[in-house]
């Protein structure tokens, strides 16, 4: 009769893995990095070590998104100008969820939206819709189909050509080509809102200790830039 002697399991590897487990949701340069930097600065980093870190991060994301767009909406009410529009939402999301990605850099953000605005207005000129009512109130016509397709095609092509991809700009160009914002002064306000939101995201991320770029995106963002030591 053979007796099999089972060696005791080596738990050191699993213990070491547990020790190395992140104390917060690891997304390099993402929401957790921004939250960690701010919480550390204000002496509340212990919140991200608790079992309730996911709700805390969710609340932090809610606060960032709400405040950033809320400020723009307040400005819109005070000035009676379109300082808030749909494509600001995904731009704000990029700033606080993935601020170290090229798409979230100030250069890509401002130039991307700028291309979207110009392409949208160009499509209105080509199709003769600069003075037409918005598609939401009149319905989509064949001219509007051409304007929408042309605007998005030009936007995508130029962003690729100039290497300034910023996905929310695709929404901006449709806002213009579908007739929601068409007056030159409205388009200037739109771009001013983009610049203000970009400055807000830059300041918030720098306060958090993230090495977000001043203008040009970092082609190979290091996760070291997103990590802030606990010491």
């Amino acid at each position: 009769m053979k007796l099999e002697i089972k060696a005791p399991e080596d738990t050191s590897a699993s213990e070491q893995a547990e020790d190395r487990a992140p104390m917060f949701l690891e997304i390099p340069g993402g929401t957790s990095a921004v939250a960690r930097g701010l919480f550390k600065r204000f002496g509340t980093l212990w919140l991200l070590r608790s079992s309730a870190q996911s709700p805390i991060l969710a609340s932090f994301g809610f606060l960032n998104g709400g405040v950033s767009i809320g400020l723009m909406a307040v400005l819109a009410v005070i000035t009676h100008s379109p300082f808030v529009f749909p494509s600001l939402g995904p731009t704000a999301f990029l700033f606080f969820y993935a601020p170290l990605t090229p798409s979230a850099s100030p250069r890509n953000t401002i130039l991307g939206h700028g291309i979207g605005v110009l392409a949208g207005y160009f499509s209105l000129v080509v199709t003769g819709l600069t003075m037409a009512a918005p598609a939401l109130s009149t319905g989509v016509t064949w001219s509007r189909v051409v304007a929408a397709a042309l605007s998005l095609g030009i936007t995508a092509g130029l962003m690729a050509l100039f290497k300034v991809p910023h996905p929310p700009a695709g929404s901006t160009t449709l806002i213009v080509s579908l007739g929601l914002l068409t007056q030159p002064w409205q388009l200037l306000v739109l771009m001013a809102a983009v610049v203000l939101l970009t400055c807000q995201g830059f300041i918030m991320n720098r306060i958090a200790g993230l090495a977000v770029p001043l203008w040009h995106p970092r082609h190979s963002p290091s996760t070291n830039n997103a990590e802030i030591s606990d010491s």
Side-chain angles (χ1 to χ4, degrees):
M1 180 185 237
K2 285 187 179 180
L3 291 176
E4 292 184 2
I5 301 176
K6 203 172 183 182
E9 293 182 2
D10 183 9
T11 59
S12 60
S14 60
E15 289 175 355
Q16 290 175 3
E18 186 176 349
D19 291 338
R20 291 195 302 268
M23 292 181 292
F24 64 97
L25 186 61
E26 288 284 359
I27 303 174
T31 301
S32 56
V34 179
R36 191 182 188 196
L38 289 174
F39 285 11
K40 181 187 175 185
R41 186 172 293 274
F42 293 106
T44 55
L45 189 59
W46 56 270
L47 286 170
L48 294 179
R49 296 194 183 105
S50 69
S51 59
Q53 59 180 314
S54 292
I56 289 172
L57 288 174
S59 300
F60 180 77
F62 170 80
L63 183 64
N64 258 335
V67 169
S68 60
I69 297 301
L71 289 175
M72 304 306 295
V74 168
L75 189 58
V77 171
I78 294 173
T79 63
H80 302 285
S81 302
F83 273 96
V84 63
F85 46 91
S87 53
L88 277 187
T91 292
F93 183 81
L94 276 178
F95 286 159
F96 300 116
Y97 187 80
L100 296 182
T101 59
S103 293
S105 69
R107 176 176 179 265
N108 287 33
T109 301
I110 294 172
L111 294 185
H113 281 289
I115 289 172
V117 167
L118 293 176
Y121 194 76
F122 174 77
S123 71
L124 294 179
V125 172
V126 169
T127 55
L129 294 173
T130 53
M131 302 301 293
L136 292 180
S137 60
T138 62
V140 178
T141 62
W142 287 111
S143 296
R144 194 68 73 178
V145 169
V146 173
L150 181 63
S151 66
L152 189 56
I154 292 175
T155 299
L158 290 182
M159 285 197 295
L161 178 64
F162 294 110
K163 299 179 180 178
V164 289
H166 185 70
S171 175
T172 294
T173 199
L174 290 177
I175 287 172
V176 178
S177 63
L178 292 177
L180 301 181
L181 297 173
T182 59
Q183 299 302 312
W185 73 268
Q186 293 177 326
L187 305 183
L188 289 175
V189 171
L190 184 156
M191 288 306 304
V194 170
V195 172
L196 288 175
L197 184 63
T198 302
C199 292
Q200 181 185 341
F202 176 83
I203 292 170
M204 181 67 75
N205 286 317
R206 280 296 179 97
I207 290 175
L210 295 184
V212 290
L214 279 169
W215 182 245
H216 286 281
R218 288 181 171 83
H219 297 292
S220 299
S222 170
T223 56
N224 293 331
N225 291 334
E227 295 181 1
I228 302 167
S229 62
D230 294 335
S231 58

